[in-house]
């Protein structure tokens, strides 16, 4: 049996390809939307992708299930558990809708669906049996149910999908799924989750790729609560200190439920010169994406550009700064080469940003202006209407500037009703990267933004400056 993990560092997302080498058939689980890696792995191993499965309706990236099925003719498998509100939509009418216990068989491999609600009501985990070697499952693809050292948060329907107090019902379901499903498995079963460290789908995910049922039974933070049957203690710790959910999660939930658009073959990106691009920018028909580090952006950038540093976190920050539900103008990426631009485009389509049309290799010949900055020592003298901390609420609670208000960078573009419409807003984060992303997005919306030079670390480095702490 072939089992390969495909990991996206940008979104801390893991997908998997499982293959039967005897029959040359493979199943892909939780794929991302740029599907080239799956096709290449299958081809390199002499396999056909015959199935594509999802563990649940994801919130943090746009699913590639329909994309991969369209490219390969594979059968789609999705959950049919969890109730009407989160049943997959009409674009999945050709899919196999799995109930608890459904088995997918290809060659010598059997994949059995196990309903494990909690993170979401419809959530399935997939038990994998390598029939060429064993007659019982040796692997569990847990999706967002069990992570290495953590669990999938049960509050995303509240945070990202407009639910009201679903976190409590979800937390209780998660407790039951651990007790009645996960902990009934043998200790040797390997656990392969859909996310790693850095994901906002939990609060303390481990960086190690895999774990086992036995290791989590012995050492996970939640294990003592299960041993003592302490559901309330479990809920209290589970729900405390969860990070801010990015606003784009709501869009991902709806699109993944209804069926993401299939891209098919994508056109080559156009290489622009300064002379080509200047009239498009001046007429506001296109948006330049300045992909440099904020320290370089602060030396001068194109007015109205978005700072989305690439390529390592292009998807993460792109989803903060560009909302395709309301913004239709095409994007042109600052890139070193066509290959770099294509790589960044691939990242952006993972969060449903499909409007990249071209790239430019240099800003030379374009009019540049430095974004407005304020030095930490000048902050108190600046006439401002708001000091905005765009870090997570847990970071804010552990220490922030006096008088600062918190609204995380992944939410600010969707909550401009919380911002004053007139006057200068000063933004900061920990080091300046997130603040630069959020500030560029707000400037495009017409806000007067000044970034705190050096951000929180720069301010706290000055003798006498004392941060304020607060409860989350």
């Amino acid at each position: 049996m072939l089992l390969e993990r495909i990991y996206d560092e940008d979104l801390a997302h893991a997908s998997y390809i499982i293959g039967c080498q005897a029959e040359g058939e493979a199943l892909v689980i939780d794929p991302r939307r740029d599907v080239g890696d799956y096709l290449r792995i299958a081809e390199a191993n002499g396999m056909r992708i015959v199935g594509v499965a999802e563990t649940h309706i994801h919130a943090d990236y746009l699913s590639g299930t329909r994309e991969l099925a369209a490219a390969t003719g594979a059968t789609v498998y999705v959950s049919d558990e969890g109730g009407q509100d989160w049943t997959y939509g009409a674009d999945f009418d050709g899919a196999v809708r799995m109930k608890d216990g459904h088995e997918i068989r290809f060659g010598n491999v059997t994949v059995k669906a196990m309903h494990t609600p909690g993170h979401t009501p419809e959530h399935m985990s997939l038990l994998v049996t390598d029939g060429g070697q064993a007659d019982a499952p040796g692997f569990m693809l847990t999706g967002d149910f069990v992570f290495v050292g953590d669990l999938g948060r049960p509050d995303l329907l509240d945070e990202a999908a407009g639910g009201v107090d679903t976190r409590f019902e979800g937390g209780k379901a998660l407790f039951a799924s651990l007790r009645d499903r996960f902990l009934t498995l043998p200790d040797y079963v390997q656990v392969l989750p859909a996310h790693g460290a850095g994901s906002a789908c939990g609060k303390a995910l481990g960086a190690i790729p895999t774990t086992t049922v036995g290791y989590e039974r012995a050492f996970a933070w939640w294990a003592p609560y299960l041993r003592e049957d302490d559901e309330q203690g479990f809920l209290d710790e589970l729900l405390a200190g969860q990070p801010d959910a990015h606003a784009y999660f709501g869009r991902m939930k709806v699109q993944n439920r209804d069926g993401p658009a299939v891209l098919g073959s994508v056109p080559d990106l156009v290489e622009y010169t300064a002379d080509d691009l200047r009239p498009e920018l001046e007429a506001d028909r296109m948006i330049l994406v300045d992909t440099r580090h904020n320290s370089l952006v602060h030396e001068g950038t194109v007015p109205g550009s978005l700072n989305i540093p690439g390529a390592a976190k292009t998807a993460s920050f792109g989803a903060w700064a560009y909302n395709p539900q309301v913004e239709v103008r095409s994007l042109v990426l600052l890139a070193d080469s066509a290959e770099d631009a294509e790589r960044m485009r691939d990242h952006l389509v993972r969060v449903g940003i499909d409007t990249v049309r071209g790239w430019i290799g240099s800003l030379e010949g374009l009019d540049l202006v430095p974004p407005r900055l304020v030095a930490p020592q000048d902050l108190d003298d600046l006439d401002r209407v708001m000091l905005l901390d765009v870090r997570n609420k847990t970071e804010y609670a552990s220490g922030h500037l006096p008088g600062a208000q918190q609204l995380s960078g992944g939410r600010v573009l969707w909550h401009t009703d919380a911002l004053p419409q007139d006057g200068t807003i000063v933004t900061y984060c920990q080091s300046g990267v997130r603040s630069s992303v959020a500030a560029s997005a707000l400037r495009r919306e017409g806000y007067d933004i000044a970034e705190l030079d050096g951000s929180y670390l720069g301010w706290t480095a000055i003798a006498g400056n004392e941060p304020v702490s607060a409860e989350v």
Side-chain angles (χ1 to χ4, degrees):
M1 185 182 80
L2 170 77
L3 198 165
E4 188 159 342
R5 175 180 183 256
I6 300 92
Y7 195 70
D8 174 15
E9 297 281 356
D10 189 341
L11 296 169
H13 160 239
S15 50
Y16 298 87
I17 182 166
I18 302 171
C20 173
Q21 292 154 319
E23 296 296 327
E25 295 179 338
L27 173 74
V28 177
I29 295 92
D30 290 333
R32 65 189 190 220
R33 201 156 166 243
D34 54 310
V35 299
D37 282 347
Y38 311 108
L39 300 175
R40 285 188 286 272
I41 291 168
E43 182 179 9
N45 288 276
M47 292 182 175
R48 290 188 307 112
I49 295 173
V50 297
V52 190
E54 294 197 356
T55 54
H56 67 294
I57 301 170
H58 290 271
D60 58 314
Y61 72 98
L62 199 56
S63 164
T65 292
R66 296 186 71 235
E67 193 74 39
L68 189 56
T72 62
T75 301
V76 171
Y77 299 90
V78 296
S79 174
D80 195 31
E81 298 281 4
Q84 183 176 357
D85 288 345
W86 289 102
T87 299
Y88 282 84
D91 281 345
F92 290 93
D93 281 352
V96 175
R97 296 175 181 258
M98 300 185 294
K99 295 290 188 182
D100 180 62
H102 182 93
E103 291 187 348
I104 305 169
R105 296 177 180 271
F106 51 103
N108 294 321
V109 178
T110 302
V111 177
K112 184 177 181 179
M114 175 186 283
H115 186 212
T116 50
H119 175 66
T120 61
E122 81 288 348
H123 194 287
M124 291 286 197
S125 296
L126 302 175
L127 291 166
V128 181
T129 300
D130 178 5
Q133 185 172 341
D135 58 6
F139 308 89
M140 186 183 195
L141 279 75
T142 52
D144 290 19
F145 169 35
V146 175
F147 299 127
V148 178
D150 203 6
L151 299 170
R153 59 193 295 181
D155 62 328
L156 280 184
L157 297 186
D158 288 352
E159 292 291 317
V164 178
D165 291 339
T166 62
R167 65 191 69 203
F168 303 111
E169 181 180 349
K172 291 178 180 180
L174 197 57
F175 187 88
S177 291
L178 289 167
R179 180 191 61 211
D180 302 336
R181 314 308 296 264
F182 186 79
L183 292 176
T184 63
L185 297 171
D187 283 351
Y188 60 74
V189 173
Q190 294 186 48
V191 173
L192 310 174
H195 295 291
S199 170
C201 292
K203 61 181 176 180
L205 282 70
I208 299 170
T210 66
T211 183
T212 64
V213 170
Y215 190 88
E216 298 303 308
R217 187 197 310 274
F219 300 113
W221 67 260
W222 49 263
Y225 296 108
L226 270 293
R227 285 194 291 270
E228 297 165 14
D229 197 28
D230 181 4
E231 182 182 73
Q232 188 58 52
F234 170 84
L235 289 174
D236 291 343
E237 184 163 348
L238 173 69
L239 296 175
Q242 290 288 356
D244 290 326
H246 306 311
Y248 83 91
F249 281 12
R251 175 169 58 87
M252 296 294 93
K253 271 287 185 185
V254 173
Q255 287 183 265
N256 283 332
R257 179 194 64 190
D258 295 346
V262 174
L263 294 170
S265 59
V266 293
D268 292 337
L269 295 177
V270 176
E271 181 179 4
Y272 284 86
T273 66
D275 289 339
D276 296 331
L277 188 57
R278 188 182 303 107
E280 301 299 321
L281 297 176
E282 290 175 350
D284 203 22
R285 289 190 293 264
M286 288 186 168
I287 301 172
L288 177 79
V289 177
D290 193 331
T291 59
R292 299 174 299 164
H293 187 266
N294 63 291
S295 60
L296 297 174
V297 171
H298 288 167
E299 295 177 5
T301 189
V302 171
S305 63
L306 295 174
N307 180 209
I308 302 174
K313 302 295 286 183
T314 307
S316 300
F317 289 135
W320 291 17
Y322 185 94
N323 180 4
Q325 288 184 307
V326 298
E327 180 58 79
V328 297
R329 278 164 283 205
S330 298
L331 299 175
V332 177
L333 307 175
L334 178 62
D336 291 332
S337 66
E339 291 74 21
D340 286 339
E342 289 166 359
R343 188 177 306 113
M344 287 187 279
R345 176 178 63 179
D346 284 348
H347 281 237
L348 289 171
V349 300
R350 295 173 196 173
V351 289
I353 299 174
D354 301 341
T355 51
V356 177
R357 295 294 176 263
W359 67 284
I360 188 168
S362 170
L363 299 183
E364 185 177 352
L366 296 173
D367 295 329
L368 307 181
V369 296
R372 188 180 178 189
L373 304 178
V374 56
Q377 61 270 25
D378 297 331
L379 181 61
D380 290 340
D381 297 326
L382 181 71
D383 183 16
R384 66 176 190 265
V385 294
M386 187 180 199
L387 180 58
L388 180 61
D389 187 327
V390 300
R391 299 175 301 163
N392 283 322
K393 58 189 175 184
T394 51
E395 295 174 283
Y396 176 84
S398 65
H400 59 269
L401 273 64
Q405 299 176 56
Q406 188 270 340
L407 183 57
S408 68
R411 299 171 72 91
V412 68
L413 194 63
W414 285 260
H415 292 277
T416 54
D417 57 320
L419 305 178
Q421 299 303 303
D422 299 307
T424 301
I425 299 171
V426 178
T427 65
Y428 74 89
C429 61
Q430 192 76 359
S431 66
V433 174
R434 289 174 287 176
S435 176
S436 182
V437 175
S440 71
L442 289 175
R443 287 191 186 102
R444 275 204 61 84
E445 294 297 309
Y447 289 88
D448 179 13
I449 304 294
E451 298 169 58
L452 180 62
D453 199 11
S455 270
Y456 181 78
L457 293 178
W459 183 86
T460 56
I462 297 175
N465 283 349
E466 292 294 334
V468 179
S469 59
E471 292 187 5
V472 178

